[in-house]
Amino acid sequence: GKLNYTNIDLYSDWHNVTINNCELTMLSDAEAGGCIWIRDIQELTADNLKFTNNVCNKKSHDEILAVFRGYIEDVEISNNKFNVYEGQASPSVMNFTIGASSSKKTDNIVFSNNEILCKSTGGCIWMTNLTNSKILSNKINYTQSASTDGATYVFRKTNIQNVIFEENDVIVNSDMESSNPKIYVATCFDKCVNNKIETNCKVEEIFGGSLIQGNTITINAGCSNVFNWATNVIENKVTINSQIGNCLQFYNGTLTTDVLVKDNFIDYNFVPTEKTIFLAFTDIMVGDYSVLFEGNTLKQTTSLRWKKLLLNMKVKDDEAKTITFRKNSLGNFTEVYQHNGQQNNIVMEDNT
């Protein structure tokens, strides 16, 4: 069988546990095991853990920290330092698991004020069957060390509800000359508020969700879509230092709510080598929902108008739809392209 080394294993039926000011080191480079596993293997319920002020060091295949299996609630993971080192015999493809397919309940998990230095083949934090939880005020420096089949998700979800991603500082790097597979940053959270994101390698997408507000984003090495299917994008500051495809993308789907993009500052601090699009709105069923862009500033360092497109639009609705641009500073982003001769109503009010 697989070699399995784990520093601490909370196996099942644990309650009111405190682990504070410890150092856990697991550098076995084994196929299984990690620093701390928080689980309810016998499904007897487990609750109330404080894992605080610890230092964890891991080089192995499995998670440095995992919360999984059974019924687990009320877990605080805060003020810890986590160091993930890439293994040689068994590369690290899982680093943090908060909830898993084996979890019947993973509720009220607070992951806050931690420092993470993670170099890994796989992504950083995976969440499954997780409810009513927070990823809050963490400092995360993630480096993709090697390519894997499929996509790499810095944060990955399956069936999560009411999980807030707030005030985190995330840096994304890659040792690969080109990002292979595609890297997705924080596309899995419905609410992303006041985070700082810096990408130093090409990424596919950064944010997607129902509320993206007050974030600071710096793109240094290319991005396909900054915001993908983000329906409320408010008061974000985006500095783009390298070629991107779309700032906002809605592609091949159906709107289920109004779209509001308001008071964002987008600094296009690069000379385009190919077309860059502010809003790609294609193969969309709009229905009766409104789409409003108001008070946004699109700052540009170059006047190469022909490589800048404000709107690329193709709707699936039978009747014409309306998109409103109001009181924006658009600069040279003036061109609108509608596919197949569509005559949708593009309302331009008091823009400069």
Side-chain angles (χ1 to χ4, degrees):
K2 293 182 179 180
L3 292 175
N4 185 336
Y5 302 96
T6 301
N7 294 124
I8 297 177
D9 187 353
L10 299 180
Y11 192 75
S12 199
D13 195 25
W14 48 264
H15 307 275
N16 303 316
V17 177
T18 297
I19 302 171
N20 180 64
N21 199 28
C22 298
E23 182 167 352
L24 309 179
T25 299
M26 208 288 295
L27 304 177
S28 65
D29 204 7
E31 295 176 286
C35 285
I36 176 164
W37 286 5
I38 302 162
R39 52 185 178 166
D40 177 26
I41 201 76
Q42 296 176 322
E43 298 185 358
L44 300 172
T45 73
D47 64 83
N48 196 9
L49 164 67
K50 295 185 183 299
F51 185 80
T52 55
N53 302 302
N54 303 291
V55 177
C56 297
N57 303 287
K58 185 212 77 154
K59 180 169 73 172
S60 68
H61 180 81
D62 282 344
E63 302 96 323
I64 190 169
L65 179 146
V67 182
F68 68 105
R69 193 70 180 264
Y71 303 85
I72 298 174
E73 59 186 328
D74 302 334
V75 174
E76 176 190 347
I77 303 163
S78 63
N79 297 301
N80 304 286
K81 292 185 178 181
F82 297 99
N83 299 304
V84 177
Y85 307 105
E86 180 63 294
Q88 301 300 318
S90 186
S92 179
V93 297
M94 296 183 289
N95 296 298
F96 295 84
T97 292
I98 305 178
S101 59
S102 61
S103 298
K104 303 296 179 63
K105 180 180 183 180
T106 312
D107 186 75
N108 191 29
I109 313 299
V110 178
F111 189 91
S112 66
N113 293 291
N114 301 291
E115 293 185 18
I116 298 173
L117 181 63
C118 176
K119 186 171 185 177
S120 170
T121 302
C124 190
I125 298 178
W126 294 5
M127 298 159 289
T128 304
N129 298 330
L130 176 64
T131 56
N132 305 315
S133 297
K134 295 179 180 179
I135 311 295
L136 176 67
S137 300
N138 302 284
K139 292 184 178 181
I140 301 171
N141 190 320
Y142 167 81
T143 299
Q144 179 197 42
S145 60
S147 63
T148 60
D149 294 334
T152 293
Y153 294 86
V154 182
F155 302 92
R156 178 176 176 177
K157 74 166 183 178
T158 303
N159 187 33
I160 69 173
Q161 298 179 7
N162 191 29
V163 178
I164 296 172
F165 185 71
E166 186 171 348
E167 295 184 354
N168 299 284
D169 188 339
V170 180
I171 299 174
V172 179
N173 313 286
S174 178
D175 286 346
M176 308 298 291
E177 290 186 6
S178 61
S179 295
N180 180 25
K182 296 176 180 178
I183 296 175
Y184 297 80
V185 182
T187 58
C188 65
F189 300 100
D190 283 338
K191 295 182 180 180
C192 300
V193 179
N194 296 336
N195 300 285
K196 182 180 178 182
I197 308 290
E198 176 183 330
T199 60
N200 297 312
C201 58
K202 188 178 187 303
V203 299
E204 187 68 12
E205 297 171 3
I206 296 178
F207 280 126
S210 61
L211 178 63
I212 313 298
Q213 184 170 8
N215 301 283
T216 301
I217 305 165
T218 304
I219 299 168
N220 292 323
C223 178
S224 297
N225 305 294
V226 182
F227 304 99
N228 186 46
W229 278 97
T231 50
N232 287 275
V233 181
I234 302 169
E235 298 172 346
N236 300 284
K237 181 179 180 181
V238 184
T239 302
I240 307 169
N241 296 321
S242 181
Q243 177 76 45
I244 69 163
N246 307 310
C247 186
L248 297 105
Q249 175 180 262
F250 294 83
Y251 172 69
N252 193 27
T254 301
L255 287 184
T256 58
T257 186
D258 296 336
V259 174
L260 175 63
V261 179
K262 183 177 174 63
D263 295 337
N264 300 282
F265 183 88
I266 317 293
D267 184 0
Y268 285 84
N269 188 34
F270 69 97
V271 177
T273 56
E274 57 188 70
K275 184 80 75 175
T276 184
I277 301 169
F278 177 64
L279 172 61
F281 201 77
T282 54
D283 293 321
I284 298 298
M285 184 71 72
V286 179
D288 295 327
Y289 296 105
S290 66
V291 182
L292 173 62
F293 292 78
E294 184 174 25
N296 302 287
T297 298
L298 279 59
K299 180 184 176 183
Q300 299 130 67
T301 59
T302 174
S303 59
L304 296 179
R305 174 181 289 185
W306 69 275
K307 290 184 177 176
K308 296 175 180 177
L309 191 63
L310 176 65
L311 172 63
N312 182 20
M313 187 171 185
K314 178 185 176 183
V315 299
K316 292 182 177 179
D317 302 81
D318 293 332
E319 67 278 5
K321 292 299 168 182
T322 298
I323 291 182
T324 301
F325 292 86
R326 179 185 299 145
K327 296 182 179 179
N328 302 283
S329 177
L330 300 177
N332 290 322
F333 280 87
T334 57
E335 183 182 354
V336 172
Y337 178 73
Q338 299 199 52
H339 291 252
N340 303 331
Q342 289 188 357
Q343 298 295 317
N344 294 291
N345 186 22
I346 312 303
V347 178
M348 306 295 287
E349 298 179 352
D350 300 325
N351 300 292
T352 57

